[in-house]
Amino acid sequence: MTVLSWALLVILLLSSAILILMVLLHKGKGGGLSSMFGGGMSSVAAGSSVAEKNLTRITIGVGIIWFACIIAFGLLLRTMV
């Protein structure tokens, strides 16, 4: 494996872990698994809507980076074989 493939693999692993954490930080919107584990309780200290919007923007950004790494890694592996 080349240096580029190792770098893409490291970025992919880091972005995967960050993306999982970002999704878990989001506030639940109603029923489902989030309310089953206590996410359905609304609290004033839960955060403002600005924080939720910023969290959504960061999550989308990390998701785009993750998707680009998946495509680049797949193309790189395809050219190596």
Side-chain angles (χ1 to χ4, degrees):
M1 291 180 78
T2 64
V3 175
L4 180 62
S5 61
W6 281 107
L8 278 174
L9 185 62
V10 168
I11 293 171
L12 180 63
L13 291 174
L14 287 175
S15 64
S16 297
I18 292 171
L19 191 61
I20 290 169
L21 291 174
M22 289 294 176
V23 168
L24 289 175
L25 283 175
H26 279 279
K27 185 171 58 170
K29 300 292 183 192
L33 289 177
S34 64
S35 63
M36 182 188 302
F37 295 111
M41 298 185 308
S42 63
S43 172
V44 177
S48 66
S49 62
V50 174
E52 188 72 26
K53 286 180 185 178
N54 287 337
L55 184 63
T56 302
R57 289 179 187 141
I58 294 170
T59 305
I60 290 171
V62 172
I64 290 170
I65 292 170
W66 180 83
F67 184 74
C69 283
I70 290 287
I71 298 297
F73 198 64
L75 290 174
L76 185 67
L77 287 179
R78 187 175 181 187
T79 59
M80 293 176 87
V81 174

